[in-house]
Amino acid sequence: GADVCKIAVMPRDIRDVSRLKAVCVQANDELPQPIIAISMGELGASTRTDAEAMGSCLSFGTAGQGSAPGQMDAKALRQALEMVHEAMNKRK
């Protein structure tokens, strides 16, 4: 009954990050609700910039002090997301 499904995890290693990305893709394929998937800390940085590519409907950045480990500055995150979005559109 959720409007949006969210999972946020603290990875122990890069394999945890890869698993989260795979789970996000699967959930996006199987669930009617939008998915948000974030892996925190330095290891999880790629889940914040690859949100669209892995099926996550949004990412989180900060305009000051972060509320979770590994949050990026919102301006830098936006630039990274725009680059990924542009690259994905070129593939289509």
Side-chain angles (χ1 to χ4, degrees):
D3 293 326
V4 178
C5 298
K6 177 184 174 190
I7 182 170
V9 299
M10 180 60 79
R12 292 169 294 189
D13 57 41
I14 198 67
R15 287 173 201 80
D16 288 343
V17 176
S18 294
R19 283 185 205 103
L20 176 71
K21 289 180 178 188
V23 166
C24 184
V25 170
Q26 181 179 355
N28 193 44
D29 287 344
E30 295 178 9
L31 298 174
Q33 297 91 343
I35 308 300
I36 302 168
I38 298 288
S39 185
M40 295 183 281
E42 291 178 12
L43 283 173
S46 66
T47 66
R48 295 177 184 278
T49 58
D50 295 346
E52 181 178 7
M54 62 187 212
S56 188
C57 68
L58 60 86
S59 189
F60 292 89
T62 181
Q65 187 171 345
S67 60
Q71 274 188 344
M72 299 175 175
D73 173 75
K75 289 180 184 179
L77 179 58
R78 182 181 184 132
Q79 290 175 336
L81 291 170
E82 287 173 354
M83 288 188 332
V84 171
H85 181 77
E86 183 178 317
M88 287 179 66
N89 284 333
K90 285 182 179 179
R91 288 189 328 194
K92 292 180 181 178

